Amino acid sequence: MAEPFVPTNIIVTGGCGFIGSNFVHHVARAHPDVHVTVLDKLTYAGNPANLAGLPPERVELVVGDICDEGLLERLAPGHDAIVHFAAESHNDNSIEDPDPFVRTNVEGTYRLLEVCRRYDLRFHHVSTDEVYGDLALDEPRRFRPDDPYRPSSPYSSTKASSDLLVRAWHRTYGVRATISNCSNNYGPYQHVEKFIPRQVTNVLCGVRPKLYGDGKNVRDWIHTEDHSRAVWDILTRGRLGETYLIGADGERSNRDVLAAILERMGQPADAFDWVRDRPGHDRRYAIDPTKLREELGWRPLHTDFAEGLDQTISWYRENEPWWRPVKEKTEARYAVQGQ
Ligand code: NAD
Ligand code: DAU
């Protein structure tokens, strides 16, 4: 087995978003010798409040765009790795306007790879299971690292494009890179445009939750803290050039997840609206995490979804000032889309 990589000064792109900020908290808590420079553009999805409470001598926020080559040139020296979370991340938005998805997800990843090539930085690319397309509900198969890419949406096709750039920069230029493709995350600090926080905050606002299509679509849920721990393991002990799939055996239909939310929030089982389906809506995602488990010994700690959901609901109940300012605008956008 190769020597582990021991980072001391890392750049985390998208560290003010949902998963990126969770990763920064994880590093600050579990790896106190590491300094983190967060590079974040603070789009509608980025919130510096997500980094509240972190020691300023160990976590620095640089507000900027991953597409800004000059900024990357100034930032790179003195760092030893980039952990790349920054992205436009919401499928529905990508269907309305793909432009920022191509720019940030494809061009942004290209710019970061180029700076890693010039300064010999280690690169970890955070990607999604959606690059593999979808599975039928009754298919006895889960995604595996070497499956062919079959992305369906503008979002997932830009993530797939960025993965291919990473693979090519590793093979052609020897950039020391790894890729992880994770399934659906849940937990605190997730933007209210996403499924679970949208329904929870709808109930808290006295608005009926919204279910797309027939509600039978399946997602493979993982707590974001388990994702963060896996990313650290891959960054430090993953084999260069490899792809690792991150999943916690959490397959559930959207209808079941919504039923659990309604029950836990004291609502009748039918207190939701059926709304227009997402165009091109992927039917089912499911991850086979064997490689991650066997090679790196990673295991999820949040194995009780009901408990994780309870904690997440409580967090949104207790942190209304965090989500309230963006709720109305998010719902107005959905209303225009008939969703
Ligand atoms: P998010 O939308 O919550 O956060 C994205 C962050 O990136 C924000 O802070 C935003 O300001 C920043 N950003 C966007 N464009 C930028 C740019 N051009 N330059 C610098 N910063 C920019 O996203 P998330 O849900 O936390 O997802 C993080 C990563 O994980 C993404 O790469 C996503 O594809 C991947 N992923 C997400 C999930 C999930 O369930 N949410 C699952 C698997 C993989
Ligand atoms: O699989 C990983 C992906 O998971 C990540 O790459 C994406 O960044 C992340 O957003 C997520 O994508 P999804 O499209 O699966 O997540 P979303 O929360 O948007 O939707 C989850 C499911 O719930 C999906 O089948 C659509 C459905 N849905 C969504 C919303 C917002 C509803 O039924 N009603 C809703 O209001």
PDB file of all heavy atoms in Angstrom, residues 249-281:
ATOM      1  N   ASP A 249     -26.156   2.537   1.452  1.00  0.00           N
ATOM      2  CA  ASP A 249     -27.259   1.568   1.374  1.00  0.00           C
ATOM      3  C   ASP A 249     -28.573   2.197   1.841  1.00  0.00           C
ATOM      4  O   ASP A 249     -29.304   1.619   2.644  1.00  0.00           O
ATOM      5  CB  ASP A 249     -26.944   0.324   2.229  1.00  0.00           C
ATOM      6  CG  ASP A 249     -25.624  -0.322   1.810  1.00  0.00           C
ATOM      7  OD1 ASP A 249     -25.370  -0.397   0.600  1.00  0.00           O
ATOM      8  OD2 ASP A 249     -24.846  -0.712   2.703  1.00  0.00           O
ATOM      9  N   GLY A 250     -28.858   3.398   1.314  1.00  0.00           N
ATOM     10  CA  GLY A 250     -30.009   4.160   1.812  1.00  0.00           C
ATOM     11  C   GLY A 250     -31.126   4.373   0.799  1.00  0.00           C
ATOM     12  O   GLY A 250     -31.769   5.427   0.789  1.00  0.00           O
ATOM     13  N   GLU A 251     -31.398   3.354  -0.036  1.00  0.00           N
ATOM     14  CA  GLU A 251     -32.426   3.527  -1.080  1.00  0.00           C
ATOM     15  C   GLU A 251     -33.827   3.702  -0.489  1.00  0.00           C
ATOM     16  O   GLU A 251     -34.259   2.886   0.338  1.00  0.00           O
ATOM     17  CB  GLU A 251     -32.449   2.296  -1.990  1.00  0.00           C
ATOM     18  CG  GLU A 251     -31.356   2.276  -3.014  1.00  0.00           C
ATOM     19  CD  GLU A 251     -31.584   1.158  -4.022  1.00  0.00           C
ATOM     20  OE1 GLU A 251     -32.526   1.271  -4.829  1.00  0.00           O
ATOM     21  OE2 GLU A 251     -30.828   0.183  -3.988  1.00  0.00           O
ATOM     22  N   ARG A 252     -34.512   4.757  -0.959  1.00  0.00           N
ATOM     23  CA  ARG A 252     -35.894   5.010  -0.523  1.00  0.00           C
ATOM     24  C   ARG A 252     -36.636   5.747  -1.629  1.00  0.00           C
ATOM     25  O   ARG A 252     -36.048   6.600  -2.302  1.00  0.00           O
ATOM     26  CB  ARG A 252     -35.916   5.920   0.705  1.00  0.00           C
ATOM     27  CG  ARG A 252     -35.743   5.168   1.977  1.00  0.00           C
ATOM     28  CD  ARG A 252     -35.647   6.012   3.212  1.00  0.00           C
ATOM     29  NE  ARG A 252     -35.426   5.122   4.345  1.00  0.00           N
ATOM     30  CZ  ARG A 252     -34.270   4.553   4.620  1.00  0.00           C
ATOM     31  NH1 ARG A 252     -33.215   4.800   3.876  1.00  0.00           N
ATOM     32  NH2 ARG A 252     -34.147   3.729   5.648  1.00  0.00           N
ATOM     33  N   SER A 253     -37.924   5.467  -1.780  1.00  0.00           N
ATOM     34  CA  SER A 253     -38.697   6.221  -2.770  1.00  0.00           C
ATOM     35  C   SER A 253     -39.003   7.605  -2.203  1.00  0.00           C
ATOM     36  O   SER A 253     -39.066   7.797  -0.982  1.00  0.00           O
ATOM     37  CB  SER A 253     -39.996   5.497  -3.104  1.00  0.00           C
ATOM     38  OG  SER A 253     -40.906   5.646  -2.025  1.00  0.00           O
ATOM     39  N   ASN A 254     -39.209   8.564  -3.113  1.00  0.00           N
ATOM     40  CA  ASN A 254     -39.540   9.929  -2.670  1.00  0.00           C
ATOM     41  C   ASN A 254     -40.829   9.918  -1.855  1.00  0.00           C
ATOM     42  O   ASN A 254     -40.975  10.652  -0.886  1.00  0.00           O
ATOM     43  CB  ASN A 254     -39.712  10.854  -3.879  1.00  0.00           C
ATOM     44  CG  ASN A 254     -38.401  11.039  -4.631  1.00  0.00           C
ATOM     45  OD1 ASN A 254     -37.326  10.798  -4.082  1.00  0.00           O
ATOM     46  ND2 ASN A 254     -38.497  11.455  -5.889  1.00  0.00           N
ATOM     47  N   ARG A 255     -41.744   9.058  -2.272  1.00  0.00           N
ATOM     48  CA  ARG A 255     -43.026   9.002  -1.551  1.00  0.00           C
ATOM     49  C   ARG A 255     -42.811   8.543  -0.109  1.00  0.00           C
ATOM     50  O   ARG A 255     -43.416   9.086   0.825  1.00  0.00           O
ATOM     51  CB  ARG A 255     -43.981   8.048  -2.284  1.00  0.00           C
ATOM     52  CG  ARG A 255     -45.340   8.106  -1.665  1.00  0.00           C
ATOM     53  CD  ARG A 255     -46.465   7.987  -2.603  1.00  0.00           C
ATOM     54  NE  ARG A 255     -47.662   8.379  -1.864  1.00  0.00           N
ATOM     55  CZ  ARG A 255     -48.872   8.167  -2.233  1.00  0.00           C
ATOM     56  NH1 ARG A 255     -49.100   7.598  -3.381  1.00  0.00           N
ATOM     57  NH2 ARG A 255     -49.886   8.546  -1.496  1.00  0.00           N
ATOM     58  N   ASP A 256     -41.931   7.570   0.084  1.00  0.00           N
ATOM     59  CA  ASP A 256     -41.653   7.080   1.443  1.00  0.00           C
ATOM     60  C   ASP A 256     -40.958   8.150   2.286  1.00  0.00           C
ATOM     61  O   ASP A 256     -41.239   8.295   3.477  1.00  0.00           O
ATOM     62  CB  ASP A 256     -40.781   5.822   1.399  1.00  0.00           C
ATOM     63  CG  ASP A 256     -41.583   4.602   0.959  1.00  0.00           C
ATOM     64  OD1 ASP A 256     -42.822   4.712   0.887  1.00  0.00           O
ATOM     65  OD2 ASP A 256     -40.963   3.557   0.679  1.00  0.00           O
ATOM     66  N   VAL A 257     -40.036   8.862   1.661  1.00  0.00           N
ATOM     67  CA  VAL A 257     -39.325   9.908   2.418  1.00  0.00           C
ATOM     68  C   VAL A 257     -40.317  11.000   2.830  1.00  0.00           C
ATOM     69  O   VAL A 257     -40.332  11.449   3.984  1.00  0.00           O
ATOM     70  CB  VAL A 257     -38.163  10.503   1.586  1.00  0.00           C
ATOM     71  CG1 VAL A 257     -37.543  11.708   2.293  1.00  0.00           C
ATOM     72  CG2 VAL A 257     -37.096   9.435   1.325  1.00  0.00           C
ATOM     73  N   LEU A 258     -41.193  11.378   1.890  1.00  0.00           N
ATOM     74  CA  LEU A 258     -42.170  12.415   2.234  1.00  0.00           C
ATOM     75  C   LEU A 258     -43.122  11.923   3.327  1.00  0.00           C
ATOM     76  O   LEU A 258     -43.462  12.670   4.265  1.00  0.00           O
ATOM     77  CB  LEU A 258     -42.947  12.849   0.983  1.00  0.00           C
ATOM     78  CG  LEU A 258     -43.993  13.941   1.227  1.00  0.00           C
ATOM     79  CD1 LEU A 258     -43.365  15.186   1.875  1.00  0.00           C
ATOM     80  CD2 LEU A 258     -44.681  14.339  -0.076  1.00  0.00           C
ATOM     81  N   ALA A 259     -43.536  10.647   3.226  1.00  0.00           N
ATOM     82  CA  ALA A 259     -44.437  10.098   4.260  1.00  0.00           C
ATOM     83  C   ALA A 259     -43.767  10.179   5.635  1.00  0.00           C
ATOM     84  O   ALA A 259     -44.410  10.530   6.633  1.00  0.00           O
ATOM     85  CB  ALA A 259     -44.795   8.653   3.924  1.00  0.00           C
ATOM     86  N   ALA A 260     -42.464   9.884   5.678  1.00  0.00           N
ATOM     87  CA  ALA A 260     -41.743   9.940   6.960  1.00  0.00           C
ATOM     88  C   ALA A 260     -41.689  11.372   7.487  1.00  0.00           C
ATOM     89  O   ALA A 260     -41.847  11.608   8.690  1.00  0.00           O
ATOM     90  CB  ALA A 260     -40.336   9.376   6.787  1.00  0.00           C
ATOM     91  N   ILE A 261     -41.493  12.328   6.590  1.00  0.00           N
ATOM     92  CA  ILE A 261     -41.440  13.741   7.022  1.00  0.00           C
ATOM     93  C   ILE A 261     -42.806  14.160   7.578  1.00  0.00           C
ATOM     94  O   ILE A 261     -42.912  14.755   8.656  1.00  0.00           O
ATOM     95  CB  ILE A 261     -41.028  14.656   5.837  1.00  0.00           C
ATOM     96  CG1 ILE A 261     -39.573  14.383   5.428  1.00  0.00           C
ATOM     97  CG2 ILE A 261     -41.216  16.136   6.185  1.00  0.00           C
ATOM     98  CD1 ILE A 261     -39.137  15.074   4.144  1.00  0.00           C
ATOM     99  N   LEU A 262     -43.866  13.819   6.835  1.00  0.00           N
ATOM    100  CA  LEU A 262     -45.217  14.228   7.265  1.00  0.00           C
ATOM    101  C   LEU A 262     -45.541  13.623   8.633  1.00  0.00           C
ATOM    102  O   LEU A 262     -46.052  14.312   9.536  1.00  0.00           O
ATOM    103  CB  LEU A 262     -46.250  13.796   6.222  1.00  0.00           C
ATOM    104  CG  LEU A 262     -46.187  14.553   4.888  1.00  0.00           C
ATOM    105  CD1 LEU A 262     -47.080  13.883   3.838  1.00  0.00           C
ATOM    106  CD2 LEU A 262     -46.589  16.017   5.060  1.00  0.00           C
ATOM    107  N   GLU A 263     -45.232  12.351   8.785  1.00  0.00           N
ATOM    108  CA  GLU A 263     -45.535  11.682  10.058  1.00  0.00           C
ATOM    109  C   GLU A 263     -44.770  12.335  11.209  1.00  0.00           C
ATOM    110  O   GLU A 263     -45.335  12.641  12.263  1.00  0.00           O
ATOM    111  CB  GLU A 263     -45.160  10.200   9.947  1.00  0.00           C
ATOM    112  CG  GLU A 263     -45.634   9.391  11.137  1.00  0.00           C
ATOM    113  CD  GLU A 263     -45.015   7.996  11.146  1.00  0.00           C
ATOM    114  OE1 GLU A 263     -44.584   7.510  10.086  1.00  0.00           O
ATOM    115  OE2 GLU A 263     -44.945   7.422  12.248  1.00  0.00           O
ATOM    116  N   ARG A 264     -43.470  12.579  10.972  1.00  0.00           N
ATOM    117  CA  ARG A 264     -42.638  13.152  12.048  1.00  0.00           C
ATOM    118  C   ARG A 264     -43.032  14.575  12.369  1.00  0.00           C
ATOM    119  O   ARG A 264     -42.755  15.059  13.463  1.00  0.00           O
ATOM    120  CB  ARG A 264     -41.170  13.095  11.638  1.00  0.00           C
ATOM    121  CG  ARG A 264     -40.713  11.695  11.470  1.00  0.00           C
ATOM    122  CD  ARG A 264     -39.255  11.530  11.239  1.00  0.00           C
ATOM    123  NE  ARG A 264     -38.762  10.465  12.065  1.00  0.00           N
ATOM    124  CZ  ARG A 264     -39.170   9.198  11.982  1.00  0.00           C
ATOM    125  NH1 ARG A 264     -40.079   8.845  11.095  1.00  0.00           N
ATOM    126  NH2 ARG A 264     -38.692   8.293  12.798  1.00  0.00           N
ATOM    127  N   MET A 265     -43.661  15.264  11.400  1.00  0.00           N
ATOM    128  CA  MET A 265     -44.034  16.660  11.650  1.00  0.00           C
ATOM    129  C   MET A 265     -45.513  16.794  12.002  1.00  0.00           C
ATOM    130  O   MET A 265     -46.075  17.900  11.983  1.00  0.00           O
ATOM    131  CB  MET A 265     -43.648  17.524  10.445  1.00  0.00           C
ATOM    132  CG  MET A 265     -42.133  17.497  10.201  1.00  0.00           C
ATOM    133  SD  MET A 265     -41.560  18.640   8.943  1.00  0.00           S
ATOM    134  CE  MET A 265     -41.637  20.214   9.819  1.00  0.00           C
ATOM    135  N   GLY A 266     -46.147  15.659  12.309  1.00  0.00           N
ATOM    136  CA  GLY A 266     -47.526  15.686  12.794  1.00  0.00           C
ATOM    137  C   GLY A 266     -48.558  16.060  11.742  1.00  0.00           C
ATOM    138  O   GLY A 266     -49.619  16.611  12.060  1.00  0.00           O
ATOM    139  N   GLN A 267     -48.282  15.747  10.474  1.00  0.00           N
ATOM    140  CA  GLN A 267     -49.195  16.078   9.375  1.00  0.00           C
ATOM    141  C   GLN A 267     -49.942  14.831   8.906  1.00  0.00           C
ATOM    142  O   GLN A 267     -49.380  13.718   8.955  1.00  0.00           O
ATOM    143  CB  GLN A 267     -48.410  16.634   8.176  1.00  0.00           C
ATOM    144  CG  GLN A 267     -47.633  17.897   8.468  1.00  0.00           C
ATOM    145  CD  GLN A 267     -48.549  19.058   8.761  1.00  0.00           C
ATOM    146  OE1 GLN A 267     -49.434  19.382   7.974  1.00  0.00           O
ATOM    147  NE2 GLN A 267     -48.361  19.687   9.916  1.00  0.00           N
ATOM    148  N   PRO A 268     -51.172  14.989   8.365  1.00  0.00           N
ATOM    149  CA  PRO A 268     -51.859  13.837   7.769  1.00  0.00           C
ATOM    150  C   PRO A 268     -51.063  13.292   6.578  1.00  0.00           C
ATOM    151  O   PRO A 268     -50.337  14.048   5.911  1.00  0.00           O
ATOM    152  CB  PRO A 268     -53.196  14.430   7.277  1.00  0.00           C
ATOM    153  CG  PRO A 268     -53.324  15.746   7.961  1.00  0.00           C
ATOM    154  CD  PRO A 268     -51.950  16.224   8.315  1.00  0.00           C
ATOM    155  N   ALA A 269     -51.218  11.996   6.317  1.00  0.00           N
ATOM    156  CA  ALA A 269     -50.428  11.339   5.264  1.00  0.00           C
ATOM    157  C   ALA A 269     -50.696  11.910   3.873  1.00  0.00           C
ATOM    158  O   ALA A 269     -49.850  11.806   2.978  1.00  0.00           O
ATOM    159  CB  ALA A 269     -50.725   9.834   5.287  1.00  0.00           C
ATOM    160  N   ASP A 270     -51.890  12.514   3.675  1.00  0.00           N
ATOM    161  CA  ASP A 270     -52.202  13.022   2.324  1.00  0.00           C
ATOM    162  C   ASP A 270     -52.045  14.548   2.232  1.00  0.00           C
ATOM    163  O   ASP A 270     -52.528  15.173   1.279  1.00  0.00           O
ATOM    164  CB  ASP A 270     -53.630  12.618   1.935  1.00  0.00           C
ATOM    165  CG  ASP A 270     -54.658  13.213   2.898  1.00  0.00           C
ATOM    166  OD1 ASP A 270     -54.248  13.800   3.934  1.00  0.00           O
ATOM    167  OD2 ASP A 270     -55.867  13.092   2.611  1.00  0.00           O
ATOM    168  N   ALA A 271     -51.327  15.143   3.175  1.00  0.00           N
ATOM    169  CA  ALA A 271     -51.210  16.614   3.188  1.00  0.00           C
ATOM    170  C   ALA A 271     -50.066  17.093   2.299  1.00  0.00           C
ATOM    171  O   ALA A 271     -49.112  17.731   2.744  1.00  0.00           O
ATOM    172  CB  ALA A 271     -51.014  17.100   4.628  1.00  0.00           C
ATOM    173  N   PHE A 272     -50.145  16.708   1.012  1.00  0.00           N
ATOM    174  CA  PHE A 272     -49.147  17.194   0.048  1.00  0.00           C
ATOM    175  C   PHE A 272     -49.800  17.305  -1.326  1.00  0.00           C
ATOM    176  O   PHE A 272     -50.886  16.751  -1.554  1.00  0.00           O
ATOM    177  CB  PHE A 272     -47.928  16.264   0.012  1.00  0.00           C
ATOM    178  CG  PHE A 272     -48.221  14.896  -0.573  1.00  0.00           C
ATOM    179  CD1 PHE A 272     -48.066  14.651  -1.934  1.00  0.00           C
ATOM    180  CD2 PHE A 272     -48.655  13.852   0.241  1.00  0.00           C
ATOM    181  CE1 PHE A 272     -48.334  13.395  -2.462  1.00  0.00           C
ATOM    182  CE2 PHE A 272     -48.931  12.600  -0.289  1.00  0.00           C
ATOM    183  CZ  PHE A 272     -48.774  12.368  -1.644  1.00  0.00           C
ATOM    184  N   ASP A 273     -49.133  18.016  -2.262  1.00  0.00           N
ATOM    185  CA  ASP A 273     -49.652  18.160  -3.624  1.00  0.00           C
ATOM    186  C   ASP A 273     -48.780  17.387  -4.605  1.00  0.00           C
ATOM    187  O   ASP A 273     -47.556  17.418  -4.509  1.00  0.00           O
ATOM    188  CB  ASP A 273     -49.618  19.641  -4.053  1.00  0.00           C
ATOM    189  CG  ASP A 273     -50.552  20.502  -3.206  1.00  0.00           C
ATOM    190  OD1 ASP A 273     -51.579  19.978  -2.737  1.00  0.00           O
ATOM    191  OD2 ASP A 273     -50.233  21.699  -3.023  1.00  0.00           O
ATOM    192  N   TRP A 274     -49.450  16.741  -5.564  1.00  0.00           N
ATOM    193  CA  TRP A 274     -48.723  16.177  -6.710  1.00  0.00           C
ATOM    194  C   TRP A 274     -48.460  17.317  -7.678  1.00  0.00           C
ATOM    195  O   TRP A 274     -49.386  18.082  -7.980  1.00  0.00           O
ATOM    196  CB  TRP A 274     -49.573  15.121  -7.420  1.00  0.00           C
ATOM    197  CG  TRP A 274     -49.854  13.915  -6.586  1.00  0.00           C
ATOM    198  CD1 TRP A 274     -51.024  13.628  -5.949  1.00  0.00           C
ATOM    199  CD2 TRP A 274     -48.968  12.828  -6.314  1.00  0.00           C
ATOM    200  NE1 TRP A 274     -50.926  12.430  -5.288  1.00  0.00           N
ATOM    201  CE2 TRP A 274     -49.660  11.907  -5.495  1.00  0.00           C
ATOM    202  CE3 TRP A 274     -47.651  12.532  -6.677  1.00  0.00           C
ATOM    203  CZ2 TRP A 274     -49.100  10.728  -5.035  1.00  0.00           C
ATOM    204  CZ3 TRP A 274     -47.088  11.353  -6.217  1.00  0.00           C
ATOM    205  CH2 TRP A 274     -47.807  10.468  -5.407  1.00  0.00           C
ATOM    206  N   VAL A 275     -47.242  17.458  -8.168  1.00  0.00           N
ATOM    207  CA  VAL A 275     -46.963  18.539  -9.120  1.00  0.00           C
ATOM    208  C   VAL A 275     -46.279  17.984 -10.364  1.00  0.00           C
ATOM    209  O   VAL A 275     -45.899  16.805 -10.406  1.00  0.00           O
ATOM    210  CB  VAL A 275     -46.081  19.650  -8.483  1.00  0.00           C
ATOM    211  CG1 VAL A 275     -46.832  20.372  -7.375  1.00  0.00           C
ATOM    212  CG2 VAL A 275     -44.755  19.095  -7.978  1.00  0.00           C
ATOM    213  N   ARG A 276     -46.124  18.861 -11.341  1.00  0.00           N
ATOM    214  CA  ARG A 276     -45.525  18.495 -12.632  1.00  0.00           C
ATOM    215  C   ARG A 276     -44.194  17.759 -12.420  1.00  0.00           C
ATOM    216  O   ARG A 276     -43.382  18.156 -11.577  1.00  0.00           O
ATOM    217  CB  ARG A 276     -45.267  19.797 -13.410  1.00  0.00           C
ATOM    218  CG  ARG A 276     -44.736  19.623 -14.813  1.00  0.00           C
ATOM    219  CD  ARG A 276     -44.617  20.976 -15.502  1.00  0.00           C
ATOM    220  NE  ARG A 276     -43.432  21.716 -15.087  1.00  0.00           N
ATOM    221  CZ  ARG A 276     -42.260  21.718 -15.721  1.00  0.00           C
ATOM    222  NH1 ARG A 276     -42.104  21.008 -16.818  1.00  0.00           N
ATOM    223  NH2 ARG A 276     -41.248  22.433 -15.284  1.00  0.00           N
ATOM    224  N   ASP A 277     -43.967  16.724 -13.205  1.00  0.00           N
ATOM    225  CA  ASP A 277     -42.717  15.971 -13.066  1.00  0.00           C
ATOM    226  C   ASP A 277     -41.555  16.771 -13.654  1.00  0.00           C
ATOM    227  O   ASP A 277     -41.747  17.645 -14.512  1.00  0.00           O
ATOM    228  CB  ASP A 277     -42.840  14.614 -13.791  1.00  0.00           C
ATOM    229  CG  ASP A 277     -41.868  13.577 -13.235  1.00  0.00           C
ATOM    230  OD1 ASP A 277     -41.108  13.903 -12.297  1.00  0.00           O
ATOM    231  OD2 ASP A 277     -41.873  12.442 -13.753  1.00  0.00           O
ATOM    232  N   ARG A 278     -40.372  16.428 -13.206  1.00  0.00           N
ATOM    233  CA  ARG A 278     -39.138  17.019 -13.752  1.00  0.00           C
ATOM    234  C   ARG A 278     -38.896  16.420 -15.142  1.00  0.00           C
ATOM    235  O   ARG A 278     -38.888  15.177 -15.268  1.00  0.00           O
ATOM    236  CB  ARG A 278     -37.996  16.672 -12.798  1.00  0.00           C
ATOM    237  CG  ARG A 278     -36.628  17.049 -13.269  1.00  0.00           C
ATOM    238  CD  ARG A 278     -35.559  16.550 -12.292  1.00  0.00           C
ATOM    239  NE  ARG A 278     -35.512  17.341 -11.082  1.00  0.00           N
ATOM    240  CZ  ARG A 278     -34.804  17.014  -9.988  1.00  0.00           C
ATOM    241  NH1 ARG A 278     -34.073  15.915  -9.976  1.00  0.00           N
ATOM    242  NH2 ARG A 278     -34.793  17.789  -8.930  1.00  0.00           N
ATOM    243  N   PRO A 279     -38.651  17.218 -16.170  1.00  0.00           N
ATOM    244  CA  PRO A 279     -38.343  16.635 -17.484  1.00  0.00           C
ATOM    245  C   PRO A 279     -37.089  15.754 -17.400  1.00  0.00           C
ATOM    246  O   PRO A 279     -36.100  16.145 -16.785  1.00  0.00           O
ATOM    247  CB  PRO A 279     -38.068  17.866 -18.368  1.00  0.00           C
ATOM    248  CG  PRO A 279     -38.705  19.020 -17.662  1.00  0.00           C
ATOM    249  CD  PRO A 279     -38.668  18.697 -16.193  1.00  0.00           C
ATOM    250  N   GLY A 280     -37.155  14.572 -17.989  1.00  0.00           N
ATOM    251  CA  GLY A 280     -35.987  13.671 -17.997  1.00  0.00           C
ATOM    252  C   GLY A 280     -35.677  13.053 -16.648  1.00  0.00           C
ATOM    253  O   GLY A 280     -34.589  12.497 -16.456  1.00  0.00           O
ATOM    254  N   HIS A 281     -36.611  13.117 -15.714  1.00  0.00           N
ATOM    255  CA  HIS A 281     -36.424  12.713 -14.311  1.00  0.00           C
ATOM    256  C   HIS A 281     -35.816  11.309 -14.174  1.00  0.00           C
ATOM    257  O   HIS A 281     -36.440  10.312 -14.559  1.00  0.00           O
ATOM    258  CB  HIS A 281     -37.804  12.739 -13.640  1.00  0.00           C
ATOM    259  CG  HIS A 281     -37.770  12.715 -12.155  1.00  0.00           C
ATOM    260  ND1 HIS A 281     -38.904  12.837 -11.400  1.00  0.00           N
ATOM    261  CD2 HIS A 281     -36.749  12.582 -11.272  1.00  0.00           C
ATOM    262  CE1 HIS A 281     -38.595  12.797 -10.124  1.00  0.00           C
ATOM    263  NE2 HIS A 281     -37.282  12.639 -10.020  1.00  0.00           N
TER     264      HIS A 281
END
